[in-house]
């Protein structure tokens, strides 16, 4: 699996799955733009890539701001001339309650980041891929909760179902131009801020979900990152419009 001479953009690359994806893409030979709101952390990821002999730059981006996304794609193109792969990993989860107890502001905030943010990233990433003559791979971060639901967290479930829809529609629209759009749908992944914070702030909340994983444990960041890297590579050249669960068999039940 090689991405030698490919240019990759990782949005949400400062930590968790995004950070893992940036490191894995670089290890496969890609030149990587690592972007998130926390630019200092992005610089740390870029430094780690360069220390391992790879090429990377860091950039700040707020996925809820259209101009930020457009400028971010331009950064990749100005630096390396093109964009071949894009990973849209930015996301938040704040609704740990039944839908009747959720507030409007939480809904608006999560939709702005998880759904509109993914839409804006795809819009400008795909525009660049079309502009340079077609070809490329976009990988969105969904969740097994983009396939199924839970009694609580309805807003998060809704955002991930929306990401699945955006992924499939874009895949159909740009398939003949050689642009593939897929998603990964992980189960509980330790080593991510979202899961680690939930475990810290809501003890026991994740226990039923972990117990439901046939593999008997949560996923690890690097396991999801390797799947993302494969989807970005030519080894997955005929995989398009797919949401690939990384779930230890959980959705097979």
């Amino acid at each position: 699996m090689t991405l030698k001479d490919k240019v990759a953009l990782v949005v949400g690359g400062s930590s968790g799955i995004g950070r893992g994806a940036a490191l894995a893409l670089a290890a496969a030979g890609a030149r990587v733009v690592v972007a998130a709101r926390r630019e200092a952390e992005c610089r740390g990821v870029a430094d780690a890539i360069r220390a391992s002999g790879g090429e990377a730059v860091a950039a700040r981006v707020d996925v809820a701001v259209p101009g930020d996304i457009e400028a971010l794609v331009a950064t990749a193109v100005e630096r390396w001339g093109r964009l071949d792969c894009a990973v849209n990993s930015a996301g938040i989860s704040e609704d740990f309650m039944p839908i009747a107890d959720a507030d409007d502001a939480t809904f608006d905030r999560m939709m702005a980041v998880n759904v509109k943010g993914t839409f804006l990233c795809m819009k400008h990433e795909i525009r660049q891929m079309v502009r340079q003559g077609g070809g490329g791979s976009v990988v969105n971060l969904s969740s097994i909760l983009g396939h199924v639901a839970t009694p609580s967290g309805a807003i998060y479930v809704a955002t991930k179902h929306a990401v699945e829809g955006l992924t499939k529609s874009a895949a159909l629209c740009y398939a003949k131009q050689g642009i593939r759009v897929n998603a990964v749908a992980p189960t509980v992944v330790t080593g991510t801020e979202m899961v680690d914070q939930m475990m810290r702030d809501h003890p026991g909340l994740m226990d039923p979900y972990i117990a439901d994983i046939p593999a008997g444990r949560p996923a690890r960041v690097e396991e999801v990152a390797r799947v993302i890297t494969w989807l970005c590579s030519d080894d997955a050249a005929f995989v398009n419009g797919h949401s690939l669960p990384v779930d230890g068999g959980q959705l097979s039940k």
Side-chain angles (χ1 to χ4, degrees):
M1 186 166 61
T2 179
L3 291 168
K4 183 175 172 53
D5 298 326
K6 301 288 189 182
V7 178
L9 168 61
V10 180
V11 181
S14 60
S15 63
I17 292 171
R19 180 182 185 276
L23 295 171
L25 290 165
R31 301 161 177 164
V32 184
V33 179
V34 185
R37 284 184 299 177
R38 297 175 302 187
E39 189 175 0
E41 284 86 344
C42 290
R43 286 198 296 269
V45 178
D47 287 346
I49 290 172
R50 288 192 293 268
S52 297
E55 295 184 67
V57 294
R60 186 193 180 279
V61 66
D62 185 337
V63 296
V65 179
D68 277 15
I69 303 297
E70 190 170 10
L72 177 62
V73 173
T75 295
V77 177
E78 289 167 5
R79 181 66 181 249
W80 288 305
R82 57 184 297 108
L83 179 65
D84 300 294
C85 317
V87 178
N88 300 317
S89 181
I92 57 174
S93 178
E94 299 177 347
D95 62 324
F96 311 118
M97 70 284 291
I99 192 168
D101 299 327
D103 64 83
D104 297 357
T106 300
F107 179 90
D108 292 341
R109 191 162 51 247
M110 290 180 64
M111 285 290 173
V113 175
N114 295 6
V115 182
K116 188 175 181 180
T118 299
F119 157 73
L120 290 171
C121 288
M122 292 170 63
K123 174 181 176 178
H124 291 290
E125 292 156 358
I126 292 172
R127 275 185 177 177
Q128 174 57 34
M129 291 174 181
V130 170
R131 190 179 297 122
Q132 64 198 26
S137 175
V138 176
V139 180
N140 296 320
L141 190 66
S142 181
S143 164
I144 61 166
L145 297 182
H147 293 246
V148 295
T150 56
S152 61
I155 301 171
Y156 184 79
V157 170
T159 66
K160 292 306 181 180
H161 274 70
V163 168
E164 298 268 335
L166 288 168
T167 298
K168 293 174 183 177
S169 185
L172 294 174
C173 186
Y174 295 99
K176 289 187 178 178
Q177 290 164 276
I179 299 170
R180 298 181 295 108
V181 187
N182 293 288
V184 291
T187 184
V188 178
V189 184
T190 54
T192 66
E193 288 187 5
M194 187 181 298
V195 169
D196 292 350
Q197 180 180 346
M198 280 193 264
M199 288 181 167
R200 182 177 64 249
D201 296 346
H202 304 273
L205 178 69
M206 303 304 297
D207 291 351
Y209 303 107
I210 296 172
D212 193 49
I213 301 171
R217 63 168 177 84
R220 294 187 284 265
V221 164
E222 59 269 21
E223 292 171 324
V224 183
R226 284 195 291 268
V227 174
I228 291 171
T229 303
W230 176 72
L231 286 171
C232 286
S233 76
D234 290 342
D235 287 351
F238 212 59
V239 179
N240 192 27
H242 185 58
S243 177
L244 182 54
V246 187
D247 67 347
Q250 193 168 9
L251 290 180
S252 298
K253 297 177 68 175

